[in-house]
Amino acid sequence: MIRRLAALLALVAAPALASDALRPPLLLTGQRADVQDLSGRWTYSKDYYRTGLTDINGWVAKSRMQRYRDVDVAAEEAKPGTAFFEFDLDRGPAMEIPGAWNAAAPELRWYDGLIWFQRRFDAAPAKPGQRSFLRFEAVNYRAHVYLNGKEVGRHEGGFTPFVLEVTDVLRAQGNRLVVGVDSRHDAQSIPGEITDWDLYGGITRPVKLIQTPATFIDDATLRLTEAGRLVGSLQLNGAQAAGQAVSVQIDALNLKARATTDAHGEARFDIAAPGALKRWSPESPLLYAVRFASDGDAVDDRVGFRTLAVKGSEILLNGKPITLRGVSIHEEELGANPARRLTDSAARALLSEVKTGLNGNYVRLSHYPHSETMLRAADELGLLVWNEIPVYWTVDWDNPAVLLKARRQQAETIYRDRNRAALALWSVGNETPVAENRTRFHAALAATVRELDPSRLISAALLVERQGDTVRIADPLLPHLDVMAVNTYAGWYGDDRLEDLARLKWALPTDKPLLVSEFGADALAGYHDLSAQPKKWSEEFQAAYYRATLAMLGRIPNLRGLSPWVLKDFRSPRREHPIFQNGWNRKGLISETGQRKQAFEVMAEHYKTLPSNR
């Protein structure tokens, strides 16, 4: 009882944790000159029992199993003696990185555990005083990183970036980078052990070697305020970070502002927005080339400027009401064997289906932070974004360590994406059961967002409560949200027939905008039922479901946006009907290979009739 009370008190106190404690020690945001992409063929070695980390009884791993060792196994084996090895990453099988191992080989399709990856590379000659870093955009789920036999860092969380300094370990030639990737989830991970999507183990996003001056720009941001000011900051890292002259420059606006860093290496900008500045919007997604500079370093970015607010039941973009016409999406590229390899072309192929195919202006990136490539493509195409962390269904609500993991994932995402004009909504969770401990957990996450990024809106995908034919939100989390959002599947799950949807009444608060963050029905592309009452799983039933649901939702007075579930059929181990699913969730408006279903056209026509701005 005492331990439980202590845990609850820790959760109550959690919002007081300063943002400085959540800021990753290194960020290296923006686009830089001295970057070496380590994408390509990496060798690997399976380690299901984790013998490369620990031996039986928790003993130190045997040297013959330590995959991270900086050793030429073949050369050592050629020497006389009794030593032997039970690994050889130099001669091991290889796969393409970035990319999930689930798609690399049939025997890895359902592998869930530890795999060691190795990349051999030479580094560009270092300049005097230069520092070197490895930036991982995502490793799912836990990463143990070694360079040339020395551990340089660890990270937990499968969808956010992390940076490790390797200045003192890096060699000019023959570097051996080894990453132990453990995909296994448990009761203390974010997300937990059970989800409705494929978790995809591996190094799923790019790895880069970045070289900087001794004192470098670690982070820089700039945004437009409601008062018409461009405000931002620049953070230096290094021994000479304090008292340095820095600047921000936008040539297209003839703008250049200077500032001086404080004792902590931070400088702030507050500039009147030039009259020539044009605001970013889905109709005109203009991005400006912005350069942040210090003595000896520079970082570039492409930034759009717009304002976002809530007024009563309206969402205001650049001061004008907007209706969000969108769809939910998982981070899977089109194709029969997705590897979560979201290149720029793969991201644009998906988002173009939303923008031009569905006549959309919005996308819900579910249920975790998607690749930075997706966010930048949304910036360029003109799609507002809902960004979510994977506090999904249920986690260990009473565990302060789990809350800290969630808050760190939230912070890592915010620091990565603050310069993206497309980003409109931070979601703090999806379909979590109402309970006092759960509400405290989410409230702490909402407080984290408000402290780190008060310029964007906060939401969460909530469950609804059914009382006869009346649908209600009975969720104490509502006061912590700017925008209400609900998931509903009446007519697919449960006993409702499609004709019953016309009777449903939505008794919801009207003082905030409402988004319907999910609704949908499964259909196998190409399966048809032309009868008067088509059966479930057919394209005809899915299309009829969409028509009935859209008619029902159209009666909600403060409805301000939709993101039906889901753009594309996606992998899910929960879905195993041998005819219609076979490991795929079939609620997509298009199939996994891009075949449009009838409901796609229903949704596209509906959005075509809605005004761009209310």
Side-chain angles (χ1 to χ4, degrees):
M1 179 64 71
I2 293 173
R3 286 195 299 269
R4 181 174 177 81
L5 179 61
L8 293 177
L9 290 173
L11 284 175
V12 170
L17 185 63
S19 60
D20 287 347
L22 293 171
R23 186 189 190 278
L26 293 162
L27 290 167
L28 285 175
T29 57
Q31 298 163 333
R32 312 183 63 91
D34 293 332
V35 178
Q36 182 177 345
D37 191 347
L38 298 180
S39 299
R41 300 290 286 176
W42 291 48
T43 56
Y44 66 91
S45 174
K46 301 189 299 295
D47 189 6
Y48 192 79
Y49 289 124
R50 295 169 172 78
T51 56
L53 292 174
T54 57
D55 202 353
I56 59 172
N57 300 320
W59 299 335
V60 174
K62 297 282 194 300
S63 61
R64 66 176 183 268
M65 295 181 178
Q66 294 173 356
R67 276 103 162 150
Y68 51 81
R69 291 177 61 192
D70 185 20
V71 58
D72 184 332
V73 172
E76 292 299 313
E77 287 177 337
K79 297 177 181 178
T82 60
F84 68 97
F85 298 84
E86 296 189 72
F87 73 92
D88 185 354
L89 279 168
D90 287 333
R91 292 180 288 180
M95 71 174 70
E96 210 53 41
I97 297 296
W101 66 54
N102 311 72
E107 63 270 19
L108 296 177
R109 175 67 192 94
W110 300 109
Y111 188 88
D112 186 21
L114 177 63
I115 294 183
W116 296 88
F117 292 89
Q118 178 181 274
R119 176 74 156 86
R120 304 297 302 272
F121 67 94
D122 297 333
K127 301 172 185 176
Q130 194 172 55
R131 296 168 68 182
S132 300
F133 303 87
L134 289 170
R135 188 175 191 271
F136 293 81
E137 292 190 15
V139 176
N140 198 17
Y141 169 71
R142 294 179 179 88
H144 305 259
V145 184
Y146 300 81
L147 182 62
N148 298 326
K150 296 181 179 180
E151 184 174 9
V152 293
R154 301 182 184 186
H155 183 263
E156 179 174 351
F159 306 99
T160 50
F162 60 98
V163 180
L164 305 170
E165 183 160 11
V166 295
T167 303
D168 296 332
V169 186
L170 188 71
R171 301 190 291 236
Q173 294 181 322
N175 288 285
R176 186 189 301 271
L177 173 60
V178 176
V179 184
V181 183
D182 193 346
S183 65
R184 197 165 298 173
H185 291 64
D186 53 38
Q188 280 71 51
S189 60
I190 304 288
E193 294 177 277
I194 300 175
T195 65
D196 191 16
W197 72 87
D198 198 313
L199 287 173
Y200 286 111
I203 303 173
T204 56
R205 297 178 190 161
V207 183
K208 295 176 181 177
L209 175 67
I210 301 175
Q211 295 179 316
T212 73
T215 296
F216 63 92
I217 299 172
D218 190 38
D219 183 37
T221 184
L222 195 66
R223 66 177 178 86
L224 178 67
T225 70
E226 293 280 348
R229 311 283 296 179
L230 293 177
V231 300
S233 64
L234 184 153
Q235 180 68 54
L236 291 179
N237 181 302
Q240 305 299 318
Q244 294 296 313
V246 297
S247 65
V248 60
Q249 183 172 340
I250 306 176
D251 289 341
L253 296 173
N254 294 316
L255 181 151
K256 186 168 185 178
R258 294 176 174 83
T260 302
T261 58
D262 62 16
H264 304 288
E266 183 182 32
R268 293 186 177 272
F269 302 103
D270 189 340
I271 317 153
L277 183 144
K278 295 181 180 179
R279 297 191 178 199
W280 183 99
S281 70
E283 295 74 30
S284 179
L286 177 63
L287 302 176
Y288 288 95
V290 180
R291 166 156 283 208
F292 301 93
S294 65
D295 183 17
D297 198 19
V299 170
D300 295 305
D301 208 343
R302 299 182 67 225
V303 182
F305 299 104
R306 54 99 188 107
T307 61
L308 191 69
V310 163
K311 184 176 182 181
S313 64
E314 300 287 359
I315 299 173
L316 304 180
L317 178 67
N318 296 322
K320 298 178 181 179
I322 186 170
T323 297
L324 302 183
R325 311 186 310 272
V327 70
S328 298
I329 188 172
H330 265 294
E331 188 178 347
E332 276 187 3
E333 70 273 34
L334 291 168
N337 188 31
R340 195 168 274 170
R341 191 174 289 120
L342 263 293
T343 62
D344 180 66
S345 60
R348 288 174 181 274
L350 292 168
L351 296 181
S352 293
E353 290 285 349
V354 184
K355 181 73 175 184
T356 60
L358 288 174
N359 304 304
N361 62 7
Y362 160 64
V363 62
R364 179 188 178 209
L365 300 182
S366 315
H367 285 296
Y368 39 78
H370 285 221
S371 167
E372 186 175 349
T373 302
M374 288 283 279
L375 273 293
R376 289 187 177 275
D379 250 8
E380 295 179 6
L381 291 171
L383 287 167
L384 290 162
V385 167
W386 161 307
N387 203 332
E388 188 165 282
I389 61 169
V391 180
Y392 176 91
W393 287 354
T394 189
V395 300
D396 189 349
W397 307 115
D398 293 322
N399 189 330
V402 175
L403 174 60
L404 182 58
K405 291 178 187 180
R407 298 182 77 192
R408 281 178 173 160
Q409 287 189 33
Q410 188 81 74
E412 287 168 346
T413 311
I414 289 172
Y415 279 106
R416 186 194 73 174
D417 294 335
R418 287 181 300 169
N419 279 348
R420 305 284 70 79
L423 206 156
L425 292 134
W426 294 115
S427 169
V428 296
N430 176 80
E431 290 185 357
T432 56
V434 174
E436 186 178 346
N437 55 358
R438 161 267 191 191
T439 302
R440 282 195 301 270
F441 193 102
H442 282 303
L445 291 178
T448 297
V449 176
R450 292 204 190 280
E451 183 177 5
L452 295 179
D453 187 9
S455 69
R456 290 181 172 88
L457 309 178
I458 300 175
S459 190
L462 307 176
L463 295 168
V464 292
E465 176 179 285
R466 186 82 173 265
Q467 298 172 345
D469 289 335
T470 301
V471 182
R472 302 180 186 276
I473 300 179
D475 199 317
L477 188 62
L478 285 179
H480 300 277
L481 307 179
D482 301 308
V483 177
M484 299 182 294
V486 296
N487 296 350
T488 178
Y489 287 92
W492 178 253
Y493 298 120
D495 298 327
D496 293 305
R497 300 166 300 174
L498 294 187
E499 53 266 33
D500 296 332
L501 300 191
R503 297 202 308 266
L504 294 185
K505 300 174 183 178
W506 288 70
L508 307 177
T510 58
D511 59 336
K512 292 183 180 182
L514 172 74
L515 302 179
V516 177
S517 39
E518 289 183 28
F519 64 92
D522 288 73
L524 179 64
Y527 173 62
H528 297 283
D529 182 352
L530 303 180
S531 63
Q533 291 186 321
K535 295 178 181 179
K536 288 186 175 182
W537 303 107
S538 69
E539 288 195 35
E540 287 74 15
F541 179 91
Q542 188 187 44
Y545 167 91
Y546 266 75
R547 294 187 190 98
T549 302
L550 291 171
M552 173 188 66
L553 298 177
R555 299 194 296 271
I556 303 174
N558 55 327
L559 180 65
R560 297 296 177 260
L562 303 170
S563 54
W565 192 258
V566 58
L567 176 66
K568 183 190 78 69
D569 290 351
F570 61 93
R571 294 273 199 190
S572 174
R574 290 169 57 88
R575 311 295 179 168
E576 286 298 334
H577 190 290
I579 305 301
F580 301 116
Q581 293 175 311
N582 289 302
W584 295 88
N585 186 309
R586 294 295 185 188
K587 291 185 181 68
L589 294 172
I590 61 178
S591 73
E592 67 272 21
T593 57
Q595 180 181 345
R596 292 180 180 180
K597 306 175 190 178
Q598 291 182 17
F600 185 100
E601 300 304 330
V602 173
M603 208 66 228
E605 187 60 29
H606 177 75
Y607 283 154
K608 190 176 181 180
T609 64
L610 294 179
S612 297
N613 291 297
R614 288 168 42 79

